[in-house]
Amino acid sequence: MLRVMLQAPRGPVTVVAGEPSEPGAGEVLLKMEACGICHSDLFVASLPNLPLVPLTLGHEGIGRVVALGSGVNNVAVGDRVGLTFLAGTCGECEYCGSDRERYCARQWNSGYTVHGALAGQAVIRAQHLVRVPDGLAAAVAAPLCCAGWTAYGALREAGAADSVAIFGMGGLGHLAVQYARYRGLRVAAADVSEEKLEQARSLGAEVAVLADGAGRTLQKSMGGVDAAVVLTASPAAIQQAFRAVKRTGTVVLVGLAATNYELPIVDTVLKGIRIQGSYLGTRHDLEDVMRLGATGKVRPHVETFPLEEAPRLLEALKQGKLLGRAVVTF
């Protein structure tokens, strides 16, 4: 059995052989069908310190339950499930008790604090597994577990907007455009890649512009937008997002980066701009994402690859060369 492992903080990502362990208390053994390649995998691989190494990467996984550990009663052998970055939470704090468990301070994360799903078989915490319809292809379902869930949640955090600008047309962005159009919003897209902007237009974006100077362009072409969702980690994209929103607009920040951004305090205060961080989404959001995927109303653009290609795919993702989502299938 093969798995994709990060050998050390900022170390090499390699494909190695090895048998999975038996599932422990609260865990299941999954026979994996597919796992997406996510920018968060790159973020984890770039960190100078990690809570677990060597580490199996991957948190956009679809698989079948083949064995149960003790105490597992939310899934059964044979169930088809999806796992996300949110592997487990304490279940006791104010956040776990209010549909905000993704903000639990005592959480476990797939492919970060516990081993992930880029493997033929994977031992996974059962607590937050989600049911996946049998009719939904694994390669299509996998990106919905993170890219889809995160994009959907970010649009909800944008509030009662009639227009939205999506900054970053990668794996999350091309899904965010579809969710926004499904909600009936006017949609603008910004990216550094003309190929990705063309994809945004084909998915229903009213305006698709190069990222450089996007804020001013969107003010001229649309009169500004009610909300801007920044899915990239680029500080320059955040700057353009602030320039793109109308007065009292909302800037939703999603992309993770180790760098800081200098807040435009005067514009934020005098224009009443709201800044909202967004991490994953609610359980209801994830159910909606799976439902929309199963009905075909929102579909990720995917390319499938064997597991051995994963290190190369991560490098291609780092260079911005992937269109849509790359998915490893087993």
Side-chain angles (χ1 to χ4, degrees), residues 143-226:
L144 302 181
C145 292
C146 184
W149 190 21
T150 301
Y152 191 94
L155 283 169
R156 181 180 46 75
E157 296 283 16
D162 293 320
S163 58
V164 63
I166 308 298
F167 284 81
M169 279 301 302
L172 278 74
H174 84 291
L175 287 167
V177 169
Q178 295 179 68
Y179 292 130
R181 291 297 301 134
Y182 175 77
R183 290 177 49 184
L185 306 184
R186 298 178 65 197
V187 184
D191 200 277
V192 297
S193 164
E194 278 288 4
E195 183 181 15
K196 292 179 180 179
L197 292 177
E198 184 56 40
Q199 183 187 48
R201 296 184 189 100
S202 72
L203 294 172
E206 178 180 329
V207 178
V209 298
L210 289 171
D212 186 24
R216 184 175 182 180
T217 302
L218 295 179
Q219 287 289 348
K220 286 184 175 181
S221 60
M222 299 179 67
V225 291
D226 297 317

Side-chain angles (χ1 to χ4, degrees), residues 34-56:
C35 185
I37 302 290
C38 181
H39 195 277
S40 294
D41 296 316
L42 284 178
F43 179 72
V44 168
S46 73
L47 295 174
N49 296 292
L50 288 171
L52 177 65
V53 284
L55 171 68
T56 304

